[in-house]
């Protein structure tokens, strides 16, 4: 009689839970995580916690010493109807326009000149153009204060030599914006020129040689080869210039004081935030202004990115 075949019961293996697997991997590589942990601990204490606390503070009323009082969305509603805040936003945008467009234009020209084969001592010129970026902002502000001074300024002295009408630069709104924009242009043109130069050096010279063989002129090569291949670099400089321009603080604070000069013409968003927080002790409202500035920078950077990027090809 044939014996029945006995089948061994199949063993089922339950999958390891993702959390337990992650914990096991972390413990396995604990030496590596321990080595990189100081950065994340410092970032959590000095970066992540202040961001979260500022958001929490934006919904409270606090003078920095006493007890916090929950304020709901009152700080945000007041910010949206505050004429001084919108004046600061307008001033910041105007200074950004006055400074960024000439700055990037001059930086591109300087980069092309440094990239030209007939230019000698290129390293010397690169250091010279980049030097203003590492100069102390306070020292630069003091020098420009002497340059644009109303009565004994160097600029008015030169204009007087040529019998030109003198301008009270730091007493008129447009003069204040010109002075602040000049400081930004002087400090950041060389920095952007070095970035553009790196982008130009990454473009293969064979493309220009092929275009020259096909009969393309220098202008055609510039607009058909250089600009399209340099677009990511231009996008980077526009975004960084936008973020830096929206965060302008030291220049107007040293040059004009905490109130932004005559009529608040030099009051930028960050200077307004500083005044409300550390001068008037409205820390809750200052945190709200900070988050408003973050949203403005994010929106404006996105708009610049879409403009510079151009239509996407499918």
């Amino acid at each position: 009689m044939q014996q029945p075949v006995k089948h061994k019961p199949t063993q089922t293996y339950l999958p390891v839970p993702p959390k337990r697997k992650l914990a096991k991997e972390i413990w396995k590589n604990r030496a590596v995580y321990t080595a990189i942990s100081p950065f994340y601990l410092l970032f959590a204490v000095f970066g992540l916690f202040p961001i979260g606390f500022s958001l929490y503070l934006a919904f409270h009323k606090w003078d920095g010493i006493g007890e916090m009082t929950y304020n709901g969305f009152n700080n945000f509603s007041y910010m949206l109807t505050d004429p001084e805040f919108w004046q600061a936003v307008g001033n910041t945008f105007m200074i950004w326009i006055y400074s960024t467009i000439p700055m990037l234009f001059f930086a591109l020209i300087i980069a092309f000149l440094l990239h030209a084969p007939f230019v000698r001592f290129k390293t010397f010129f690169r250091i010279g153009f980049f030097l203003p970026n590492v100069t102390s902002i306070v020292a630069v502000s003091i020098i420009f204060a002497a340059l644009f001074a109303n009565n004994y300024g160097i600029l008015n002295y030169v204009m007087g030599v040529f019998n030109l009408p003198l301008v009270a630069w730091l007493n008129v709104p447009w003069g204040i914006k010109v002075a602040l924009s000049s400081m930004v242009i002087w400090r950041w043109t060389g920095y952007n020129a070095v970035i553009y130069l790196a982008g130009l050096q990454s473009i293969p010279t064979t493309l220009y040689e092929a275009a020259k063989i096909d009969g393309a002129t220098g202008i055609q090569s510039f607009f058909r080869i250089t600009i399209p291949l340099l677009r990511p670099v231009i996008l980077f400089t526009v975004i960084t210039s936008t973020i830096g321009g929206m965060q302008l603080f030291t220049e107007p604070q040293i040059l004009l004081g905490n109130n932004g000069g005559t009529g608040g013409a030099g009051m930028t968003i960050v200077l307004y935030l500083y005044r409300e927080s550390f001068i008037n002790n409205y820390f809750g409202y200052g945190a709200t202004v900070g988050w408003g500035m973050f949203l403005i920078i994010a929106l404006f950077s996105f708009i610049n990115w879409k403009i510079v990027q151009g239509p996407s090809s499918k």
Side-chain angles (χ1 to χ4, degrees):
M1 184 177 180
Q2 188 176 2
Q3 297 292 332
V5 180
K6 296 181 178 180
H7 297 280
K8 293 183 179 181
T10 58
Q11 295 180 352
T12 58
Y13 296 93
L14 296 176
V16 180
K19 292 183 179 179
R20 188 181 302 176
K21 187 177 180 180
L22 178 61
K24 185 178 180 180
E25 288 295 326
I26 292 176
W27 177 254
K28 182 180 178 181
N29 301 283
R30 58 187 180 276
V32 178
Y33 286 105
T34 303
I36 64 175
S37 60
F39 166 77
Y40 292 98
L41 292 175
L42 292 174
F43 173 74
V45 174
F46 297 102
L48 192 60
F49 172 75
I51 293 174
F53 182 73
S54 67
L55 182 60
Y56 172 79
L57 188 60
F59 293 94
H60 290 77
K61 183 179 180 181
W62 189 44
D63 61 356
I65 300 177
E67 185 179 355
M68 290 186 184
T69 304
Y70 180 72
N71 208 19
F73 288 92
N74 291 337
N75 288 335
F76 291 92
S77 61
Y78 178 77
M79 180 185 68
L80 295 177
T81 58
D82 183 11
E84 287 189 283
F85 170 74
W86 291 112
Q87 182 189 15
V89 173
N91 292 338
T92 305
F93 273 99
M94 291 303 298
I95 296 172
W96 180 85
I97 293 173
Y98 288 170
S99 61
T100 301
I101 297 176
M103 175 182 65
L104 297 182
F105 176 75
F106 293 146
L108 193 59
I109 292 178
I110 293 172
F112 270 102
L113 293 177
L114 292 178
H115 189 60
F118 59 84
V119 176
R120 302 178 61 184
F121 308 107
K122 293 184 178 180
T123 303
F124 171 78
F125 287 112
R126 292 175 193 170
I127 296 174
F129 283 116
F130 191 78
L131 191 62
N133 185 254
V134 297
T135 306
S136 171
I137 306 179
V138 177
V140 174
S141 301
I142 294 174
I143 293 174
F144 272 81
L147 182 65
F148 286 94
N150 297 327
N151 298 324
Y152 304 101
I154 300 174
L155 193 58
N156 274 338
Y157 173 78
V158 174
M159 295 174 67
V161 171
F162 292 96
N163 294 323
L164 297 174
L166 304 183
V167 178
W169 296 99
L170 302 182
N171 284 347
V172 292
W174 68 269
I176 290 175
K177 293 179 176 60
V178 168
L180 294 175
S181 302
S182 301
M183 296 173 62
V184 176
I185 293 172
W186 184 85
R187 186 165 183 255
W188 293 100
T189 298
Y191 171 85
N192 290 286
V194 173
I195 295 178
Y196 285 149
L197 179 61
L200 290 173
Q201 291 175 343
S202 65
I203 300 176
T205 57
T206 55
L207 297 177
Y208 295 102
E209 295 173 357
K212 188 176 182 180
I213 293 175
D214 291 339
T217 62
I219 297 178
Q220 291 175 334
S221 299
F222 176 79
F223 286 102
R224 299 291 180 87
I225 298 177
T226 305
I227 294 300
L229 295 180
L230 206 62
R231 181 175 292 176
V233 182
I234 296 175
L235 174 62
F236 172 78
T237 56
V238 170
I239 297 299
T240 54
S241 300
T242 299
I243 296 174
M246 295 295 108
Q247 296 178 346
L248 195 66
F249 168 71
T250 307
E251 291 87 344
Q253 204 272 338
I254 298 296
L255 190 65
L256 305 169
N258 296 326
N259 293 321
T262 303
M267 178 66 71
T268 61
I269 302 176
V270 181
L271 182 59
Y272 179 69
L273 184 155
Y274 171 80
R275 191 194 70 178
E276 294 299 307
S277 298
F278 299 99
I279 303 300
N280 297 332
N281 296 326
Y282 298 143
F283 285 92
Y285 182 62
T288 305
V289 174
W291 281 98
M293 180 182 66
F294 166 75
L295 295 177
I296 291 174
I297 292 175
L299 178 62
F300 198 50
S301 299
F302 177 76
I303 294 173
N304 284 333
W305 173 67
K306 296 298 291 185
I307 293 175
V308 176
Q309 188 185 41
S312 57
S313 58
K314 295 184 179 180

